[in-house]
Amino acid sequence: SLITESPRWVTIDVLDCRQNGQAQPRQRKEVHDLTDAEWGKFRDAVRAFKDINTCKGWSGGGSCTPPYPHGYDSFVKIHRDSETASWTDDFLPWHRRQLADFETMLQSVAQDCSITIPYWDWVAEGDAGFLTSEVWSPERFGALKSGCVDDGIGAGFGMQADPRTQVWCTRRDPKVGMQ
């Protein structure tokens, strides 16, 4: 079974992607090198992970955040609340670990060890390319604009209230190229 239910939480069973007991290196691709099928598997895994109701039966009032790493929102909360996620010498190893954990949960939800988080070599796109990149298309990560993300992979994900509308949404507030 993909999930295990307890009275308070739903936990996701972690998929073992080792072969013969040995960890396998993960082969991450640049986002532009993903085939449509590979992008589709990644997108579907992210959406499936977000859609799992890890707070089944929650009656604690306020928001429910499942224990890390068993819910999409637990990744958001630990990133938002962590003092080591930014402004410390631990920035790179902290994020490396969180991305590896997130990738493991995507693989577990999709039951597919080939799913990895793509990286973006934005420097290769040049100065103008950053703002006009395909990564900001509705089929990928959604438009590069301030406010709630309303298209792309994160469309409809509720995270934090937009201060202008008080709507719960995933917000993006880009500063680069915005005058």
Side-chain angles (χ1 to χ4, degrees), residues 10-170:
V10 172
T11 58
I12 300 165
D13 297 331
V14 176
L15 181 64
D16 185 356
C17 291
R18 295 175 296 176
Q19 294 178 357
N20 301 323
Q22 300 294 313
Q24 298 300 302
R26 297 178 183 193
Q27 301 294 318
R28 295 189 179 103
K29 288 186 170 183
E30 205 279 336
V31 69
H32 295 93
D33 294 336
L34 292 175
T35 66
D36 288 343
E38 290 168 327
W39 173 261
K41 288 191 331 182
F42 171 70
R43 178 201 58 229
D44 293 349
V46 170
R47 290 187 161 273
F49 188 31
K50 175 66 176 160
D51 287 345
I52 291 173
N53 181 6
T54 52
C55 298
K56 183 176 184 281
W58 176 254
S59 61
S63 65
C64 161
T65 304
Y68 184 85
H70 291 284
Y72 182 96
D73 291 344
S74 73
F75 282 87
V76 174
K77 182 176 182 353
I78 200 168
H79 187 270
R80 182 188 64 216
D81 295 349
S82 174
E83 292 182 14
T84 57
S86 300
W87 318 116
T88 72
D89 293 342
D90 294 330
F91 178 86
L92 291 176
W94 191 94
H95 283 87
R96 183 179 185 141
R97 174 60 191 261
Q98 191 178 44
L99 287 171
D101 288 348
F102 189 76
E103 193 171 74
T104 297
M105 297 313 291
L106 294 180
Q107 292 170 344
S108 299
V109 167
Q111 294 290 290
D112 184 344
C113 293
S114 72
I115 293 174
T116 58
I117 299 171
Y119 66 92
W120 178 28
D121 183 4
W122 58 271
V123 174
E125 299 205 46
D127 291 340
F130 180 88
L131 298 174
T132 60
S133 176
E134 177 188 347
V135 302
W136 306 120
S137 72
E139 294 77 32
R140 296 291 171 132
F141 290 102
L144 181 63
K145 63 178 186 165
S146 292
C148 293
V149 175
D150 56 12
D151 61 359
I153 197 170
F157 284 16
M159 300 288 177
Q160 58 193 25
D162 182 317
R164 293 166 291 199
T165 64
Q166 293 302 306
V167 173
W168 284 84
C169 67
T170 297

